[in-house]
């Protein structure tokens, strides 16, 4: 696997700039499902913000429709391991890992459609690994798979591969050996499909397997009671 590069691994967002801020779990090409969820929430593209946990692409039916979401001012995302596989495949020409994990959709595109998808994947290479959201008095940290340190500090060095791939922390939680991460009030992760949102200490796992027949979890962060 290639080294994970990111010009700006961390990005700060202040929820005060939007009326409402939502967080969505791993999309994996489930574009229509997302649009239905947003419509039910009366999501206002002029006033609200949606943050995604990465893995916008692969496995689902509409990967090429999910990438253009990144062009919208009301949409933000961290990078997921599936974006990283696509980035690496197009940079190196070695697409075996990506193809084994749902990347075939890209090669089924032709002409302008493939070019647009390539441009979208290039945009993914500029996505942060971590979004730091200030929400009133709460500090919320959003990353795809894990924040691989026990104390959070904005801007500190992190293992990018662990941020995108690691399941060690949720494994420890499932074995009853977990603990809180200090330095922020909430941590939100995707990557590991779960049957329902899982809450361990101050960490929430919200990839509820939309692409595998589960549901797509959408949470309004600005109205959380916890």
């Amino acid at each position: 696997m290639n080294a994970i590069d990111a010009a700006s691994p961390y990005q700060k967002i202040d929820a005060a700039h939007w009326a409402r801020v939502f967080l969505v779990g791993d999309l994996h090409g489930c574009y229509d499902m997302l649009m239905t969820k947003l419509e039910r929430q009366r999501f206002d593209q002029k006033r609200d913000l949606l943050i995604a946990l990465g893995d916008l692409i692969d496995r689902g039916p509409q990967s090429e429709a999910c990438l253009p979401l990144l062009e919208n001012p009301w949409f933000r995302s961290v990078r997921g391991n599936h974006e990283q596989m696509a980035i690496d495949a197009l940079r190196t020409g070695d697409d075996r890992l990506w193809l084994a994990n749902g990347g075939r959709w890209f090669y089924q595109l032709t002409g302008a459609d493939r070019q647009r998808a390539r441009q979208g994947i290039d945009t993914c290479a500029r996505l942060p690994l971590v979004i730091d959201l200030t929400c009133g008095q709460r500090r919320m940290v959003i990353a795809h798979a894990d924040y691989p340190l026990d104390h959070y500090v904005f801007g500190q060095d992190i293992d990018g591969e662990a941020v995108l791939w690691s399941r060690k922390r949720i494994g420890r939680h499932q074995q009853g050996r977990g603990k809180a991460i200090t330095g922020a009030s909430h941590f939100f992760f995707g990557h590991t499909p779960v049957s329902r949102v899982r809450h361990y200490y101050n960490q929430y796992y919200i990839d509820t397997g939309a692409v595998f027949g589960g549901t797509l979890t959408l949470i309004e962060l600005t109205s959380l009671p916890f």
Side-chain angles (χ1 to χ4, degrees), residues 3 6 26 40 77 97 101 190:
D26 301 26
R40 289 174 180 169
S77 182
L97 181 62
N101 287 278

Side-chain angles (χ1 to χ4, degrees), residues 9 59 73 78 96 118 124 127 158 168:
R59 296 185 174 145
V78 294
R96 290 172 294 179
R118 179 180 283 272
C124 291
L127 293 177
I158 47 172
K168 291 181 180 178

Side-chain angles (χ1 to χ4, degrees), residues 13-187:
I13 295 177
D14 189 343
H17 296 305
W18 286 270
R20 298 181 298 169
V21 177
F22 291 86
L23 179 67
V24 67
D26 301 26
L27 286 178
H28 282 302
C30 296
Y31 179 84
D32 285 347
M33 194 181 297
L34 172 63
M35 292 300 107
T36 298
K37 289 270 187 178
L38 293 179
E39 184 177 357
R40 289 174 180 169
Q41 292 292 331
R42 298 182 180 179
F43 183 86
D44 185 341
Q45 296 182 4
K46 295 181 179 179
R47 302 176 68 243
D48 298 335
L49 178 69
L50 175 64
I51 301 173
L53 272 164
D55 281 7
L56 309 179
I57 58 172
D58 299 345
R59 296 185 174 145
Q62 297 169 294
S63 290
E64 67 275 16
C66 288
L67 284 173
L69 289 168
L70 295 167
E71 302 170 10
N72 295 309
W74 51 266
F75 186 86
R76 301 284 191 279
S77 182
V78 294
R79 193 187 317 178
N81 64 304
H82 280 260
E83 284 80 40
Q84 190 65 49
M85 285 188 281
I87 293 163
D88 292 341
L90 297 185
R91 282 181 177 174
T92 68
D94 183 354
D95 58 10
R96 290 172 294 179
L97 181 62
W98 190 26
L99 285 173
N101 287 278
R104 192 166 303 278
W105 65 272
F106 177 81
Y107 298 99
Q108 294 171 343
L109 301 175
T110 59
D113 290 337
R114 184 182 289 191
Q115 183 59 31
R116 280 192 293 270
R118 179 180 283 272
Q119 290 170 350
I121 292 167
D122 288 343
T123 299
C124 291
R126 299 190 291 274
L127 293 177
L129 301 181
V130 176
I131 287 177
D132 180 310
L133 177 70
T134 300
C135 192
Q137 298 301 310
R138 296 175 291 188
R139 187 176 203 173
M140 301 180 177
V141 176
I142 297 161
H144 179 62
D146 189 23
Y147 190 79
L149 296 169
D150 292 332
H151 180 70
Y152 174 77
V153 176
F154 181 86
Q156 71 180 334
D157 290 340
I158 47 172
D159 180 345
E161 186 172 324
V163 173
L164 298 183
W165 289 90
S166 180
R167 291 191 169 103
K168 291 181 180 178
R169 187 183 301 278
I170 190 172
R172 290 195 296 269
H173 285 312
Q174 291 169 338
Q175 296 165 10
R177 299 187 294 112
K179 61 181 180 181
I181 304 172
T182 57
S185 58
H186 299 71
F187 291 81

